[in-house]
Amino acid sequence: MKIKTIRFPRDGEERMGRIVNRSNSRPTGKYPSWKMNRMMQWQTVDHLNAFRLLDAESKVLSFHEKPMAIEYETHGVLHTERPDILVEIDGQKELWTIKKLAKVTDGRVATHSKNLALQLRSHGYQQKSVIAEWLKQEPRLGNAITLLGFGRQEVSPLAREAFRILFAKRAGGINWGEFREGIAGHLGKNILCRLVLEGVIHFDPTLAWTDFTSFYWGSSELGYLGRGA
């Protein structure tokens, strides 16, 4: 295998080709990303789940759907690979291809992915096969949806400082039930969730979200992309 060329969207375009159109035979749609400040187009529900998890992960700087077309040659035959998502995280550029578990464990598919990954490294990309079933695992996905539901509004410097002072008085953290009861005012839940999205406050996304879920000031190694990707 040898990569011949990598094509990117033309100026003014956000992705390679259209995803959402009336003639689609399966559900597609648009997702409002707070991080990218635009509507992202998803091709399957698996892609939508990926967008939600990426939007909720503070370590992710950006993500783009259908970012490029990779033309490569194998045994004299030209092929085209179109990664699902380009993710910028931890100083790296990752190309995600979302696949069902059965596909990932298929020997031929695994060999192809490995060969393509080796080629892409020289172009500055890390290729990743992301398991679709992992993207919908709970409680991570549900927690991400809750965060995104409450945390889309920007936080003022004054509110941010008020939260810092509040958490400084509570070394053991503050639980969700206290925010529901108004410990930080009627917008406390919204401010909390936005600061979690920004990585200023953290909690354990691997546990179910209840009134006893505790939040702490500061970043954490626990995140939505800690495994399975």
Side-chain angles (χ1 to χ4, degrees):
M1 176 187 291
K2 183 178 180 180
I3 292 178
K4 305 294 288 185
T5 186
I6 298 178
R7 295 186 288 108
F8 299 93
R10 293 177 293 184
D11 290 344
E13 296 184 352
E14 295 170 333
R15 64 194 66 83
M16 293 294 292
R18 295 183 62 183
I19 296 176
V20 177
N21 58 65
R22 295 179 180 178
S23 63
N24 286 338
S25 60
R26 59 184 179 183
T28 58
K30 297 181 180 181
Y31 166 76
S33 169
W34 77 270
K35 185 172 292 182
M36 299 307 297
N37 194 32
R38 68 175 177 87
M39 299 297 290
M40 313 282 294
Q41 295 190 11
W42 51 269
Q43 190 170 6
T44 69
V45 174
D46 296 327
H47 294 84
L48 173 59
N49 291 339
F51 291 168
R52 288 165 167 164
L53 294 175
L54 290 165
D55 227 9
E57 174 58 79
S58 62
K59 296 178 183 177
V60 171
L61 297 179
S62 66
F63 58 101
H64 307 267
E65 76 274 42
K66 294 297 179 186
M68 62 183 70
I70 303 166
E71 296 180 353
Y72 63 94
E73 182 180 342
T74 302
H75 305 303
V77 180
L78 287 174
H79 303 272
T80 301
E81 183 95 3
R82 293 180 174 83
D84 295 315
I85 312 173
L86 168 62
V87 180
E88 293 189 58
I89 181 172
D90 292 333
Q92 297 186 46
K93 293 181 179 181
E94 299 180 355
L95 291 174
W96 284 23
T97 300
I98 300 172
K99 300 176 181 177
K100 300 294 185 183
L101 180 59
K103 277 284 188 180
V104 174
T105 55
D106 181 279
R108 289 174 298 178
V109 174
T111 299
H112 168 76
S113 297
K114 182 178 179 180
N115 291 337
L116 183 61
L118 289 173
Q119 287 284 312
L120 285 169
R121 286 178 189 170
S122 63
H123 292 268
Y125 298 102
Q126 298 290 322
Q127 192 271 344
K128 283 198 171 187
S129 294
V130 179
I131 300 172
E133 288 85 347
W134 174 82
L135 294 171
K136 63 181 179 182
Q137 282 186 355
E138 297 294 353
R140 284 179 182 264
L141 179 59
N143 289 345
I145 291 172
T146 299
L147 279 177
L148 294 165
F150 281 102
R152 293 186 176 276
Q153 186 174 341
E154 292 187 19
V155 177
S156 71
L158 185 61
R160 190 181 300 264
E161 177 62 12
F163 258 63
R164 186 193 66 79
I165 294 172
L166 176 64
F167 273 87
K169 298 176 181 178
R170 299 283 298 273
I174 306 175
N175 64 48
W176 179 248
E178 292 177 280
F179 283 102
R180 282 205 314 109
E181 292 170 1
I183 191 174
H186 70 285
L187 291 178
K189 300 189 297 296
N190 304 80
I191 297 171
L192 171 73
C193 290
R194 179 55 178 245
L195 293 180
V196 173
L197 290 174
E198 294 180 6
V200 177
I201 292 172
H202 73 273
F203 75 114
D204 188 344
T206 67
L207 301 177
W209 191 312
T210 70
D211 278 351
F212 301 102
T213 298
S214 293
F215 296 83
Y216 306 88
W217 191 266
S219 60
S220 171
E221 291 303 312
L222 288 171
Y224 289 88
L225 308 180
R227 60 185 176 85

